[in-house]
Amino acid sequence: MNVVFNPACLEYRHGSFHPESPERVKRVAEALENAGYDFHDANPASEHDVLLVHAEQHLEMVRSKKYFDADTPPLDIKYPLIAAGCTIKAAKLEGFALTRPPGHHAGRNFLGGFCYFNNIAIAIRKVYPSNRVAILDIDAHHGNGTQDIFLHEGNVLYVSLHQHPLYPGTGKESMDNCINFPLPPGTGEKTYLKTLEKALSTIENFSPDVVAISLGFDTYEGDPLASFLLRKESYAKIAGMISRTVSEMSARCFAVLEGGYSNEIGKLAVEFFDRLGL
């Protein structure tokens, strides 16, 4: 598998206690490197790439740092551009964008939840503008930004499995091409995998050319920001189900890191990608 990683994403920190830290990405990088995966660097996305998804007002807000969000502090624009650039390259290579900041809470004209630009949306618009694309979001939090960007777009299907109630409070119901599977706190492997089977069936019926994965490891039982109860071995099962579906459809596939805040995130990533087979 091709891992797209720019070490510059480790340069910034939002304070001593902010969970979106460089250590979580560093743990994944070290684990995948030790497992023998191929690493690639990437250039930052351009502002033109950002405008494929976001409003000019949003781009200017991030550039000028004229915003306030307790979870999403002002940040040099170069880091969100690097994250989007890594995701663009991962889409081209059909690999994994190991990057930060994450993106699925960033909508067309809003940020939040540690997210500034929507990495997966930018990559889809840049690399696969005329393809049928299914986005599978398996972060514990609903990707309200991704839904905001792609709602009512016929060539994109957004499918999310997430905890509800939980930040950002959206995703309780499905809307048009955005299919949501809200699950209660305390959801374990058995229920999660049954729900994933339904989600993958929805994707199969859509017959996409590309499957893009918003990959969060905050569904793990030891994650501090959510209350699902998946175990380490659950991620191999999840990846195996996704891999079979993608293979049966002969679809392209790429993934981008969203959340995941436990110290075990590196082990979880190896468990997942050893079975996904990108």
Side-chain angles (χ1 to χ4, degrees), residues 6-275:
N6 186 321
C9 76
L10 304 178
E11 292 175 353
Y12 73 91
R13 185 183 297 275
H14 291 317
S16 301
F17 301 104
H18 198 290
E20 207 294 279
S21 68
E23 284 77 20
R24 73 186 196 95
V25 170
K26 188 176 181 181
R27 290 185 183 106
V28 177
E30 291 175 348
L32 293 180
E33 190 171 21
N34 290 337
Y37 289 104
D38 296 325
F39 275 66
H40 304 263
D41 200 348
N43 295 321
S46 68
E47 293 190 356
H48 174 75
D49 296 332
V50 172
L51 291 173
L52 295 173
V53 165
H54 295 286
E56 289 189 20
Q57 180 183 5
H58 181 78
L59 173 62
E60 177 56 31
M61 180 178 65
V62 176
R63 185 197 293 117
S64 65
K65 304 182 189 178
K66 292 181 179 178
Y67 53 89
F68 175 79
D69 183 284
D71 292 329
T72 318
L75 180 66
D76 190 316
I77 192 174
K78 75 177 183 178
Y79 297 114
L81 290 175
I82 287 170
C86 286
T87 311
I88 289 169
K89 187 160 185 176
K92 292 177 179 177
L93 295 178
E94 297 181 55
F96 171 48
L98 174 56
T99 192
R100 59 188 287 265
H104 73 154
H105 295 307
R108 174 169 169 74
N109 205 17
F110 62 84
L111 50 71
F114 317 154
C115 304
Y116 300 83
F117 297 145
N118 195 304
N119 303 319
I120 202 165
I122 292 169
I124 289 167
R125 287 263 176 87
K126 174 77 172 181
V127 183
Y128 300 113
S130 57
N131 293 88
R132 289 174 67 81
V133 181
I135 303 167
L136 176 62
D137 191 331
I138 51 175
D139 189 275
H141 302 79
H142 180 243
N144 58 317
T146 308
Q147 177 168 293
D148 174 73
I149 290 166
F150 289 115
L151 184 62
H152 304 311
E153 287 204 14
N155 67 330
V156 176
L157 175 71
Y158 176 71
V159 179
S160 176
L161 286 73
H162 52 270
Q163 181 180 321
H164 187 86
L166 189 67
Y167 178 89
T170 54
K172 186 177 180 180
E173 299 175 346
S174 297
M175 301 173 64
D176 194 22
N177 61 318
C178 297
I179 311 301
N180 292 307
F181 293 91
L183 294 165
T187 293
E189 180 186 282
K190 183 177 179 181
T191 298
Y192 191 91
L193 294 182
K194 284 184 177 180
T195 307
L196 179 61
E197 187 176 10
K198 295 177 184 177
L200 292 173
S201 178
T202 301
I203 289 174
E204 280 187 289
N205 291 336
F206 182 69
S207 299
D209 306 309
V210 182
V211 176
I213 306 171
S214 270
L215 179 57
F217 292 104
D218 44 7
T219 49
Y220 178 57
E221 61 184 352
D223 197 276
L225 297 191
S227 304
F228 279 174
L229 298 175
L230 299 188
R231 298 165 296 176
K232 185 181 78 168
E233 56 269 25
S234 303
Y235 294 92
K237 297 175 184 178
I238 291 167
M241 292 172 66
I242 296 171
S243 179
R244 285 192 296 273
T245 300
V246 170
S247 296
E248 288 170 2
M249 297 187 300
S250 299
R252 299 174 182 175
C253 184
F254 73 95
V256 58
L257 182 65
E258 300 289 359
Y261 308 95
S262 79
N263 292 339
E264 302 299 307
I265 188 172
K267 297 176 183 178
L268 305 180
V270 171
E271 195 81 9
F272 182 86
F273 285 110
D274 277 355
R275 282 290 298 275

